[in-house]
Amino acid sequence: MGHSAAVWDYRAATEITKDWNGIDSIVLRNPRGASARVSLHGGQVTSWRNEQGEELLFTSSKAIFKPPKAVRGGIPICFPQFGNCGSLKQHGFARNKIWTVDENPPPLSPSDSHGKSFVDLLLKPSEEDLRCWPHSFEFRLRVSLAADGSLTLISRIRNVNGKPFSFSFAYNTYLSVSDISEVRIEGLETLDYLDNLCHKERFTEQGDAITFESEVDRVYLSTPKVVAVLDHERKRTYVIRKEGLPDVVVWNPWEKQSKSMADFGDEEYKQMLCVNGAAIEKPVTLKPGEEWTGRLELSVVASTLSSEHIDLQQTSNGF
């Protein structure tokens, strides 16, 4: 392309396309050839590719691309409820709605804009939403792609209601992996977790790292700001940095559960892993006029079998 980062036109690197349902998607690109795609259906990131064009997010080959059905893959947003922990349908309604592009969002820090391709989206409740969840809110989402290929999602949820409300939240992040048996997670060892396979009973993680040999569905509590997912076969490590998201959901359906899902291939559990920055155990409560921010940054670094682990205390980009 011949552009240096100094003269790269990030606005020109943002393109609006339509999917096969006629719904707008925004494609973000950086100077090195990395890209991300965000659909107005659900405000959902549906693709994140590195500069070699490799897809870093998993989407099921059997995913149903027909609104209001949420797409199985990418990064669905779970709001105002995660899972079935409240009165709403599974994972709330934000992922099923059509969002709008926010042309004039309240400002964010310059570091969240400078040198990045980004798009701002907005969701406000419909009359239907207010009937099932009677709270007025403004949900602003910024998705940005940096020059180094890292992907950042910033959610800002404001209470524009006359009374307080509470919600749970998750970035339901489907990572693409080579083989789930060759993957491990570092940063969650010794922590307590709620096991959704045991009626949300509380346990303490005993392993040096989390590895996978059967179905896993857990909510890790009081987690650090940085978690690493190491894929030995691809010699690749996903680094997950987060703010405002104290919990981490780890999910892989394994063989039996995979076969029970119509929008998921029987063997696809081998190529995916959900590691979700979340606020679940202690719901977020907002008084009238208050705003909550939940931030997730995903990046990829090269790793080898001999590298024992990433410095999980490292911080960057404001983390």
Side-chain angles (χ1 to χ4, degrees):
M1 283 189 257
H3 292 283
S4 72
V7 298
W8 177 258
D9 184 346
Y10 285 91
R11 280 295 178 189
T14 302
E15 177 189 1
I16 296 179
T17 63
K18 288 192 182 294
D19 67 16
W20 37 87
N21 292 306
I23 297 172
D24 284 351
S25 287
I26 297 90
V27 180
L28 308 175
R29 294 186 177 87
N30 80 355
R32 299 177 184 175
S35 67
R37 182 182 295 269
V38 190
S39 174
L40 293 189
H41 174 211
Q44 183 167 336
V45 176
T46 57
S47 174
W48 173 39
R49 294 179 181 271
N50 63 16
E51 55 196 76
Q52 286 79 39
E54 297 171 305
E55 181 58 63
L56 302 171
L57 298 176
F58 167 86
T59 299
S60 173
S61 63
K62 293 190 173 182
I64 299 168
F65 293 88
K66 191 171 183 179
K69 173 73 175 175
V71 175
R72 175 77 68 183
I75 310 178
I77 290 174
C78 303
F79 169 85
Q81 174 183 301
F82 178 80
N84 56 5
C85 62
S87 59
L88 300 173
K89 59 187 176 184
Q90 175 93 350
H91 292 330
F93 51 72
R95 64 187 186 141
N96 307 108
K97 300 298 179 180
I98 302 298
W99 294 51
T100 58
V101 174
D102 191 358
E103 299 290 358
N104 191 27
L108 283 162
S109 163
S111 64
D112 292 318
S113 310
H114 184 68
K116 295 181 178 181
S117 304
F118 63 87
V119 65
D120 291 289
L121 303 183
L122 176 64
L123 178 68
K124 294 181 179 180
S126 66
E127 289 186 10
E128 176 192 357
D129 300 333
L130 290 169
R131 280 196 292 272
C132 67
W133 198 69
H135 307 292
S136 294
F137 65 87
E138 292 176 349
F139 187 149
R140 287 183 160 84
L141 172 68
R142 172 169 292 189
V143 180
S144 63
L145 184 70
D148 64 1
S150 62
L151 180 72
T152 301
L153 290 81
I154 303 172
S155 289
R156 293 182 288 172
I157 298 169
R158 178 174 291 277
N159 182 351
V160 294
N161 209 33
K163 57 184 179 181
F165 63 72
S166 299
F167 63 89
S168 55
F169 179 95
Y171 292 112
N172 198 4
T173 308
Y174 287 77
L175 299 175
S176 174
V177 300
S178 57
D179 180 344
I180 189 63
S181 64
E182 296 292 321
V183 171
R184 75 177 193 267
I185 302 175
E186 294 187 356
L188 302 177
E189 48 278 1
T190 75
L191 298 181
D192 284 2
Y193 64 87
L194 307 178
D195 194 333
N196 290 322
L197 302 180
C198 297
H199 308 287
K200 297 184 171 65
E201 190 174 345
R202 191 172 183 128
F203 297 93
T204 300
E205 179 58 53
Q206 302 295 330
D208 294 333
I210 300 168
T211 55
F212 299 89
E213 50 192 27
S214 61
E215 182 180 356
V216 173
D217 188 355
R218 300 172 181 171
V219 181
Y220 286 83
L221 309 174
S222 301
T223 60
K225 288 187 174 183
V226 186
V227 176
V229 180
L230 288 77
D231 186 335
H232 296 310
E233 192 169 310
R234 287 188 181 148
K235 296 182 171 56
R236 172 189 294 164
T237 296
Y238 293 98
V239 181
I240 301 168
R241 296 182 174 90
K242 58 191 182 62
E243 281 186 343
L245 302 164
D247 305 322
V248 169
V249 179
V250 177
W251 180 69
N252 182 287
W254 219 254
E255 190 171 6
K256 184 179 177 182
Q257 179 72 4
S258 295
K259 291 179 178 177
S260 73
M261 295 186 289
D263 60 348
F264 195 88
D266 291 356
E267 300 289 317
E268 287 185 327
Y269 70 92
K270 297 175 182 177
Q271 274 76 55
M272 58 73 64
L273 176 63
C274 281
V275 183
N276 311 338
I280 297 169
E281 186 201 19
K282 298 173 183 174
V284 178
T285 298
L286 292 179
K287 296 175 183 175
E290 285 188 335
E291 184 175 86
W292 169 86
T293 300
R295 176 183 175 122
L296 181 78
E297 181 197 283
L298 303 173
S299 58
V300 177
V301 297
S303 58
T304 65
L305 282 172
S306 60
S307 66
E308 282 304 311
H309 73 241
I310 284 190
D311 178 7
L312 296 179
Q313 303 306 313
Q314 66 184 332
T315 59
S316 74
N317 298 331
F319 281 75

